[in-house]
Amino acid sequence: GVWVTFFASSSLSSFVPLFFYFPQNKKGTDLLLGVDALGLHIYDPDNKLTPKCSFPWNEIRNISYSDREFAIKPLDKKTDVFKFNSTKLKVNKLILQLCMGNHNLFLRRRRVDSLEVQQMKAQAREERARKRVERQRLEREKHLREVAERARDDLERRLIQLQDEAHMANDALVRTVGCFFF
């Protein structure tokens, strides 16, 4: 049977492939086909981390299927066409649609942005820069306020200390002067 599973791992990038199980390729070995934002990848069913073979989108000339046979044709005409069998025609249609969608997204990412998009990105960069400058200004003001508050607290403590010393000196003076008059 055919099964579909999402493969998520913290060690992988955000380009997590969608895996399709195929009973076997032309040689009769089991395989997994991974479709992601970077291309098509062939995996051993026991090792979903390291692909046996990869076909980046920019190196694929054509992807097709006829009945139960799915084919990946590389740009390099010297390279053999990679073929594998599927038990269900519906799965081949699904894989082809998924490949077309991912390939279109790949092309869209590589395309130069329109003038409008470039302007929006420039405005966003300017806004981020303005916010960064404002945040730095606020942090500087906060630091200066903290320094001023610490200096004020130090001055208040020093004032209280000096007032206490003045009271003690005054008391000592009053006791000394009082001794002379009695």
Side-chain angles (χ1 to χ4, degrees):
V2 176
W3 53 268
V4 178
T5 181
F6 281 103
F7 182 76
S9 172
S10 61
S11 65
L12 295 177
S13 68
S14 62
F15 299 104
V16 177
L18 182 60
F19 287 103
F20 293 91
Y21 171 73
F22 289 95
Q24 52 193 245
N25 61 9
K26 289 284 187 186
K27 295 177 184 174
T29 57
D30 289 342
L31 60 87
L32 285 175
L33 173 69
V35 181
D36 67 13
L38 301 176
L40 298 174
H41 312 282
I42 309 302
Y43 294 87
D44 181 11
D46 298 329
N47 182 3
K48 296 177 190 170
L49 291 177
T50 309
K52 285 175 142 180
C53 180
S54 288
F55 300 94
W57 292 120
N58 59 344
E59 294 179 12
I60 296 175
R61 180 169 38 110
N62 191 12
I63 300 171
S64 62
Y65 69 91
S66 62
D67 196 23
R68 300 193 191 294
E69 185 178 79
F70 199 88
I72 303 170
K73 297 175 186 165
L75 273 178
D76 184 6
K77 296 189 188 251
K78 295 175 186 171
T79 306
D80 292 336
V81 174
F82 188 85
K83 295 181 181 181
F84 49 88
N85 297 317
S86 172
T87 56
K88 295 186 179 178
L89 181 66
K90 202 173 194 179
V91 172
N92 284 342
K93 286 182 182 181
L94 176 67
I95 293 171
L96 187 62
Q97 289 174 348
L98 186 62
C99 289
M100 289 170 35
N102 272 290
H103 185 259
N104 287 337
L105 289 173
F106 169 78
L107 291 176
R108 191 180 304 166
R109 282 193 314 269
R110 294 184 68 200
R111 200 172 32 219
V112 176
D113 292 332
S114 68
L115 185 60
E116 183 178 297
V117 171
Q118 289 176 9
Q119 288 173 342
M120 289 181 354
K121 286 183 177 180
Q123 288 173 344
R125 277 192 303 273
E126 290 170 4
E127 182 67 18
R128 282 193 301 272
R130 187 190 61 72
K131 285 182 179 180
R132 185 179 60 249
V133 167
E134 179 68 15
R135 190 171 40 253
Q136 289 171 345
R137 185 185 64 77
L138 290 173
E139 287 174 6
R140 189 172 43 252
E141 286 178 6
K142 180 181 174 185
H143 174 71
L144 291 173
R145 184 173 4 100
E146 289 171 351
V147 168
E149 287 175 358
R150 278 195 299 270
R152 185 197 65 212
D153 292 345
D154 290 345
L155 287 173
E156 285 177 354
R157 278 192 293 278
R158 181 71 177 137
L159 176 63
I160 291 171
Q161 182 183 3
L162 290 173
Q163 285 175 341
D164 289 344
E165 289 174 6
H167 284 311
M168 288 190 299
N170 191 28
D171 290 344
L173 182 61
V174 168
R175 271 187 261 122
T176 307
V177 172
C179 290
F180 290 119
F181 291 114
F182 296 113

